[in-house]
């Protein structure tokens, strides 16, 4: 068999193309009829036996080179040449056995040029046969036996042509199904690969989210706990009561941090509960009252139209801002303002410390990553009168879409 690559697939051409099936059958029939009349062997009989072999060789050569899809010009030329050869044999044979040779043409005509060309070739064959039949048998219309032979030829020609059309359609459908199956397999492989990439990206995103949660939540509480323990360490000798209160506050905040960790772990195993921004912020401010920091909070607007993801992003931004105030700002006063308007949700954290840090740490990077997910942005500037201002904005135009994505 010959190998042929089509669309990345390796296919094999059959030794005998489909367009030659009828030619083989016609050749065998002519050979058997010639053997049955061997006693009267003539040159016409020899030519009648050799001609199908010639037709078969020509069709096989074309089939081996081009399969069942040769160039149209070559196919048309081959059909005309074969028809001329059959007409020549019919002249020598006197249109007896030679009539079988006509049946060798519809199959290659249909497979090479299509169903319409096959019916045109069959119509031409029937026309030539009718003319020759009328010339050789002038009384064919009135002789029932002769007319019966003519009708048998016409019916057989139509059946051969129709069979060729059906075989070609079945073959085309099978090839199309094989291509679709191959394409489906390729699509399935691509889908599996895409699912693997999506799963990998989802894992990375979840890992980053957990890293942000751990930093924002534990980092905040541990900072406050560290301040309280330092205070207790300094006051343990001078003011045992104040030192004990500082340790108690540290213990309470450590318990709160542990509760947050348990809540984060539990959220991985269940659907997230609704998040309320204002009560959560006020609870955080209450926890920070133990610090030597004048801290105020102002919240205006309605948060119900914002998604959980957006509200959490605002909360984490405030948490990171206040953590930085405690760690780096050396501030005595801080003010948090949250505005939830029809245009946007915004947060500002002002302090009277030493000014913005020189570079962004992991906390600010995590806040920016959260805000990117909700089309928000973060800006660090100098606060009026000195200190640092952290401004966070989330456009309202994205709020509904983010809410829908979060719900989905």
């Amino acid at each position: 068999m010959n190998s042929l690559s089509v669309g990345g697939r390796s296919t094999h051409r059959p030794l005998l193309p489909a367009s030659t099936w009828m030619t083989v059958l016609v050749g065998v029939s002519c050979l058997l009829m010639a053997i049955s009349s061997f006693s009267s062997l003539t040159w016409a009989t020899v030519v009648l036996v050799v001609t199908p072999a010639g037709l078969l060789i020509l069709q096989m050569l074309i089939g081996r080179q081009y399969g069942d899809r040769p160039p149209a010009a070559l196919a048309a030329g081959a059909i005309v040449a074969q028809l001329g050869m059959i007409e020549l044999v019919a002249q020598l044979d006197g249109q007896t056995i030679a009539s079988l040779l006509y049946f060798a043409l519809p199959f290659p005509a249909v497979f090479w040029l299509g169903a319409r060309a096959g019916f045109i070739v069959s119509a031409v064959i029937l026309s030539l046969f009718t003319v020759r039949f009328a010339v050789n048998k002038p009384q064919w219309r009135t002789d029932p036996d002769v007319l019966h032979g003519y009708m048998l030829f016409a019916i057989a020609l139509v059946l051969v042509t129709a069979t060729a059309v059906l075989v070609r359609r079945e073959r085309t459908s099978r090839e199309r199904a094989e291509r679709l199956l191959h394409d489906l397999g390729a699509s399935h492989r691509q889908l599996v690969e895409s699912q693997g990439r999506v799963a990998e990206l989802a894992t990375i995103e979840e890992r980053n989210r957990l890293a942000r949660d751990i930093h924002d939540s534990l980092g905040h509480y541990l900072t406050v706990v560290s301040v309280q323990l330092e205070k207790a360490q300094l006051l343990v000798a001078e003011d045992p009561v104040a030192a004990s209160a500082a340790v108690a506050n540290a213990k309470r905040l450590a318990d709160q941090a542990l509760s947050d960790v348990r809540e984060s772990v539990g959220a991985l195993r269940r659907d997230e509960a609704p998040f309320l921004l204002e009560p959560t912020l006020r609870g955080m401010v209450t926890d920070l009252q133990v610090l030597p920091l004048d801290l105020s909070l102002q919240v205006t607007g309605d948060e119900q139209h914002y998604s959980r993801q957006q509200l959490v992003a605002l909360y984490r931004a405030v948490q990171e801002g206040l953590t930085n105030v405690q760690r780096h700002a050396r501030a005595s006063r801080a003010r948090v303002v949250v505005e939830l308007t029809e245009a946007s949700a915004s947060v500002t954290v002002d302090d009277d410390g030493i000014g913005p840090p020189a570079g962004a740490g992991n906390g600010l990077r995590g806040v920016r990553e959260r805000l990117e997910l909700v089309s928000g942005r973060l800006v660090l500037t100098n606060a009026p009168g000195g200190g640092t201002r952290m401004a966070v904005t989330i456009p309202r135009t994205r709020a509904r879409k983010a809410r829908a994505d979060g719900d989905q």
Side-chain angles (χ1 to χ4, degrees):
M1 294 185 180
N2 286 346
S3 295
L4 178 65
S5 179
V6 179
R9 293 172 291 122
S10 179
T11 60
H12 299 281
R13 286 181 182 160
L15 181 63
L16 195 63
S19 56
T20 63
W21 294 349
M22 187 55 64
T23 305
V24 173
L25 181 59
V26 168
V28 172
S29 300
C30 291
L31 179 62
L32 293 176
M33 295 182 70
I35 292 175
S36 64
S37 59
F38 185 74
S39 57
S40 57
L41 183 63
T42 62
W43 280 107
T45 306
V46 174
V47 171
L48 185 62
V49 174
V50 173
T51 299
L55 297 177
L56 181 61
I57 292 173
L58 176 61
Q59 294 173 9
M60 288 185 64
L61 289 175
I62 294 176
R64 296 283 287 177
Q65 182 66 29
Y66 302 102
D68 289 326
R69 302 291 189 275
L74 175 63
I79 294 296
V80 171
Q82 293 178 83
L83 183 59
M85 187 185 306
I86 293 172
E87 280 295 307
L88 178 61
V89 173
Q91 289 282 355
L92 296 174
D93 180 62
Q95 201 166 357
T96 53
I97 303 177
S99 300
L100 292 175
L101 296 176
Y102 287 114
F103 297 123
L105 291 183
F107 261 76
V110 169
F111 275 87
W112 292 351
L113 298 173
R116 180 179 300 179
F119 284 113
I120 292 174
V121 169
S122 296
V124 172
I125 290 173
L126 186 60
S127 300
L128 293 175
F129 181 82
T130 301
V131 172
R132 185 172 300 283
F133 199 83
V135 171
N136 294 334
K137 303 181 184 300
Q139 306 299 324
W140 67 281
R141 294 183 180 179
T142 58
D143 189 334
D145 293 335
V146 176
L147 183 60
H148 180 70
Y150 174 82
M151 294 302 297
L152 286 179
F153 176 86
I155 293 173
L157 183 63
V158 172
L159 290 177
V160 169
T161 306
T163 301
V165 172
L166 292 176
V167 171
R168 185 176 186 270
R169 287 180 179 175
E170 186 277 334
R171 187 186 185 95
T172 302
S173 299
R174 186 175 68 253
E175 292 175 352
R176 184 182 297 112
E178 291 175 353
R179 288 195 299 269
L180 290 175
L181 183 61
H182 174 268
D183 294 341
L184 181 61
S187 300
H188 176 70
R189 289 191 296 272
Q190 293 175 358
L191 180 60
V192 171
E193 294 173 359
S194 299
Q195 288 176 336
R197 289 194 293 268
V198 169
E200 181 180 358
L201 292 175
T203 301
I204 294 173
E205 177 60 28
E206 184 63 15
R207 184 175 62 197
N208 291 338
R209 187 182 73 83
L210 290 175
R212 291 193 298 266
D213 286 346
I214 291 173
H215 177 276
D216 295 344
S217 181
L218 288 182
H220 166 75
Y221 284 111
L222 291 177
T223 297
V224 181
V225 169
S226 176
V227 171
Q228 292 296 300
L229 292 177
E230 288 178 0
K231 179 180 177 181
Q233 188 177 22
L234 293 174
L235 297 176
V236 65
E238 300 178 2
D239 191 349
V241 175
S244 177
V247 172
N249 286 329
K251 173 66 168 58
R252 180 176 58 82
L253 292 172
D255 291 340
Q256 183 64 41
L258 181 59
S259 176
D260 280 4
V261 170
R262 288 172 176 171
E263 182 179 354
S264 298
V265 173
L268 298 176
R269 298 187 175 94
R270 66 177 188 273
D271 295 335
E272 294 179 322
F275 181 83
L276 299 178
L277 178 63
E278 183 174 359
T280 307
L281 288 178
R282 296 202 179 279
M284 180 175 62
V285 170
T286 300
D287 291 336
L288 296 179
Q289 294 297 330
V290 298
L291 298 177
L293 179 68
D294 181 11
L295 179 60
S296 64
L297 170 66
Q298 179 182 346
V299 180
T300 59
D302 187 359
E303 63 182 79
Q304 67 177 349
H305 298 299
Y306 287 85
S307 71
R308 187 184 197 281
Q309 187 180 19
Q310 290 175 307
L311 297 177
V312 170
L314 294 174
Y315 169 72
R316 294 302 187 188
V318 173
Q319 191 178 53
E320 177 61 22
L322 294 179
T323 300
N324 287 335
V325 170
Q326 300 163 50
R327 287 179 177 175
H328 313 297
R330 304 176 193 171
S332 61
R333 181 187 57 83
R335 183 169 181 261
V336 179
V337 178
V338 180
E339 295 181 350
L340 305 171
T341 68
E342 292 294 329
S344 64
S346 64
V347 165
T348 57
V349 180
D350 294 333
D351 67 70
D352 61 353
I354 60 175
N362 291 329
L364 290 177
R365 183 162 55 247
V367 171
R368 285 195 170 95
E369 289 176 356
R370 289 181 184 277
L371 292 174
E372 287 176 358
L373 297 176
V374 291
S375 302
R377 68 189 186 100
L378 179 149
V379 178
L380 285 178
T381 58
N382 291 319
T388 304
R389 165 169 287 183
M390 184 181 75
V392 172
T393 304
I394 299 175
R396 180 63 187 276
T397 53
R398 306 277 183 166
R400 293 179 181 175
K401 182 179 184 301
R403 181 178 176 83
D405 292 343
D407 293 343
Q408 188 175 9

